[in-house]
Amino acid sequence: MSEPIIAELEAKIAHTISVLQQAVAEYAEGKVVFANSLGAEDVVITDLISKHTPQIGMFVLDTGRLPEETLKLLTDVQALYRNLTVEVYYPEAADVEQYVRENGVNAFYESQEMRKGCCFVRKIKPLKRALAARDAWITGLRREQSVTRDEIGFKEFDEGNGIDKFNPLADWTEKEVWAYIHAHKVPYNELHDQHYPSIGCAPCTRAIAVGEDVRAGRWWWENPETRECGLHPATPAADQEQAKPVNVMDFLPK
């Protein structure tokens, strides 16, 4: 990595820390939480929270169909970051049973409606429980990830959940995410080394080919414009807000 890229990444790290600190400052203790998907971006945020804002709580949504490698990483994260509390939310058994009984265990392959129905049961409803009584949440979304995320701000109002939402890595590149992971020896999902840049439920995630979009392995049977589960609906640009006016040059080495 060249020196200019290192300097730019250092500036982005400093800015990300400032966004996390802003979230802590703006809300009462326990009112802001990090939704940890255990993806590459989210292990970066986990490491930064542990080092700089450990008072931020976090949770993982275990859909019941996560890859074994993801569950292993969850165990590793809980063991390494002892100063953090990581809650795990599961779908309601009755909801899953009803969906499978009425539609079949793999109905999500049949249509976008069926897929979103499965996501609703396994992700959206548990997310609602996780965000209940919260005033803000933090995600690992990046603009570079997909066409549905290319206008996200560092801070937005999440209309669906009625709370604020911080995306502290919004302007990070994939290269910068991995530079941080390797430099700080952050544990990550083993599937990333098998060409899985984006990892969700096992039956809805596949490896991608060289040159494919990083989200090409998620719900690959659908159009790119529809490849969201509903956790992160697109936010109109007019509703976005820069977390705090920051001059990135202020963070560069003098």
Side-chain angles (χ1 to χ4, degrees):
M1 183 182 293
S2 64
E3 191 64 31
I5 295 178
I6 291 174
E8 184 176 351
L9 179 54
E10 288 177 349
K12 288 187 178 182
I13 292 170
H15 180 216
T16 297
I17 293 168
S18 75
V19 173
L20 295 173
Q21 291 172 335
Q22 178 188 349
V24 170
E26 288 188 359
Y27 307 94
E29 185 172 353
K31 292 297 185 178
V32 59
V33 66
F34 170 44
N36 192 340
S37 73
L38 298 170
E41 292 81 8
D42 288 22
V43 297
V44 170
I45 295 178
T46 300
D47 192 70
L48 290 171
I49 286 177
S50 176
K51 293 174 178 175
H52 302 281
T53 54
Q55 60 270 57
I56 294 177
M58 64 181 66
F59 65 86
V60 170
L61 301 179
D62 185 343
T63 65
R65 303 204 69 172
L66 295 180
E68 183 59 34
E69 291 85 351
T70 302
L71 297 176
K72 178 182 179 299
L73 177 59
L74 172 58
T75 300
D76 293 343
V77 166
Q78 290 173 318
L80 178 62
Y81 299 105
R82 295 286 188 176
N83 64 330
L84 301 179
T85 299
V86 184
E87 298 182 89
V88 182
Y89 287 81
Y90 301 89
E92 296 288 351
D95 291 339
V96 175
E97 289 171 2
Q98 180 178 354
Y99 178 88
V100 173
R101 182 171 59 251
E102 295 179 354
N103 306 299
V105 69
N106 287 331
F108 41 81
Y109 291 130
E110 298 175 11
S111 69
Q112 184 186 135
E113 181 182 7
M114 287 292 184
R115 195 268 293 170
K116 288 190 173 181
C118 186
C119 288
F120 179 76
V121 166
R122 295 181 182 273
K123 292 184 177 182
I124 306 303
K125 291 190 71 174
L127 177 71
K128 295 291 187 182
R129 300 202 320 268
L131 296 182
R134 311 285 189 179
D135 292 333
W137 63 308
I138 297 166
T139 84
L141 297 186
R142 294 186 297 109
R143 296 170 190 149
E144 189 186 65
Q145 287 172 327
S146 71
V147 294
T148 62
R149 300 176 178 181
D150 59 3
E151 292 186 346
I152 61 171
F154 291 107
K155 182 182 179 182
E156 307 171 325
F157 182 71
D158 179 355
E159 293 185 2
N161 292 298
I163 61 176
D164 290 329
K165 177 179 177 181
F166 290 85
N167 308 303
L169 301 185
D171 64 343
W172 284 45
T173 66
E174 183 181 8
K175 183 176 181 180
E176 289 166 340
V177 169
W178 283 102
Y180 184 96
I181 288 173
H182 293 312
H184 294 272
K185 297 181 172 55
V186 178
Y188 62 88
N189 197 315
E190 297 171 1
L191 287 175
H192 288 309
D193 292 332
Q194 301 173 39
H195 307 289
Y196 286 77
S198 179
I199 303 168
C201 291
C204 298
T205 306
R206 66 167 173 81
I208 67 170
V210 175
E212 279 192 292
D213 182 82
V214 294
R215 296 273 292 179
R218 300 292 298 280
W219 308 298
W220 60 91
W221 60 92
E222 295 185 10
N223 294 325
E225 293 79 9
T226 67
R227 291 177 188 168
E228 291 286 0
C229 61
L231 292 180
H232 305 293
T235 302
D239 293 340
Q240 295 174 10
E241 172 188 340
Q242 189 82 7
K244 267 186 181 175
V246 173
N247 180 359
V248 80
M249 297 302 294
D250 292 341
F251 296 109
L252 293 175
K254 301 296 192 247

